[in-house]
Amino acid sequence: MAVQNNGRALEYASEDLRNDKDVVLTAVRGYGFALEYASDYLKNDEDVVLAAIQQNGDALEYASKYLKNEKDIVLATVKKYGFALEYASENLKNDKYIVLSAIQKYGDSLEYASEYLKNDKEIVLTAVQNYGWALEYASDDLKNDKKIVLAAVQQNALALRFTSEILKNNKEIVLAAVRKNGYALEYASGNLKNDKDIILEAVQQNGLALVTI
């Protein structure tokens, strides 16, 4: 059977075989994206979809709308592939437990959370502790939250670029950033780029930091 050797071959199978559960299961177990070529009926089959996403979490993109809104299916996916949150239903992108599970695996998946959860302090803090640059996707209010921004720059100093203008002028925040990576000086306020303590910390971490001014 061709799909046993190469799941992509399902693309060229007849409609009848794309609707054959044994054939499709064989295909998606070897190549999760083969789910794209399954019949609509089998894109709504839990066994088939689970087999596909176990092979590749992005295969969730091709599951039925119904299964993209099934909490057990989506949870099983994002716990292994956090970035697959992108393909969950809008309803589940607003489910705190689902989103927490995703960002614990892949902090940058905060991008796909609902606007409501991008303003949830626990969610955003978890995300930036995992991946500092996730601060980019936080609400404007939380980009101005000192605890969250400090956690972000401690994980990745260059996350300073995504914080509020107010905190780019906060000496404690900027010091924490440049101590980790002198190049973070680029994102400090003009006022702090003229602060001797900040400059000394930045060049001590990286002598080339001055080129960012």
Side-chain angles (χ1 to χ4, degrees), residues 21 30 36 64 84 87 97 108 116 120 125 129 146 150 157 161 167 178 196 206:
K21 186 169 179 174
E36 178 180 3
S64 67
Y87 306 113
Y97 185 65
D108 209 25
Y116 176 76
D120 183 290
L125 185 59
Q129 286 172 335
K146 189 174 177 181
L150 193 57
R161 69 182 293 185
L167 292 186
V178 299
K196 186 175 180 179
N206 190 325

Side-chain angles (χ1 to χ4, degrees), residues 96-143:
K96 188 167 181 175
Y97 185 65
I98 292 283
V99 173
L100 269 175
S101 297
I103 63 177
Q104 284 168 350
K105 185 67 178 178
Y106 183 66
D108 209 25
S109 62
L110 180 64
E111 177 180 1
Y112 307 113
S114 68
E115 294 304 312
Y116 176 76
L117 290 182
K118 286 177 180 177
N119 195 44
D120 183 290
K121 194 164 183 175
E122 181 184 3
I123 291 284
V124 175
L125 185 59
T126 301
V128 300
Q129 286 172 335
N130 180 283
Y131 184 73
W133 274 40
L135 184 64
E136 177 180 3
Y137 306 111
S139 68
D140 288 342
D141 283 347
L142 294 186
K143 285 178 179 176

Side-chain angles (χ1 to χ4, degrees), residues 155-170:
Q155 200 286 323
N156 186 324
L158 299 183
L160 183 64
R161 69 182 293 185
F162 302 116
T163 191
S164 67
E165 294 304 315
I166 292 173
L167 292 186
K168 286 178 179 177
N169 194 45
N170 181 287

Side-chain angles (χ1 to χ4, degrees), residues 144-159:
N144 196 41
D145 184 287
K146 189 174 177 181
K147 181 178 180 180
I148 284 174
V149 172
L150 193 57
V153 300
Q154 287 171 339
Q155 200 286 323
N156 186 324
L158 299 183

Side-chain angles (χ1 to χ4, degrees), residues 33 53 55-61 77-88 93 99 101-113:
F33 283 131
I53 61 180
Q55 201 282 324
N56 191 316
D58 275 337
L60 183 63
E61 178 180 2
T77 309
V78 300
K79 279 187 171 181
K80 189 174 181 182
Y81 305 97
F83 51 80
L85 182 64
E86 177 180 3
Y87 306 113
K93 287 177 179 178
V99 173
S101 297
I103 63 177
Q104 284 168 350
K105 185 67 178 178
Y106 183 66
D108 209 25
S109 62
L110 180 64
E111 177 180 1
Y112 307 113

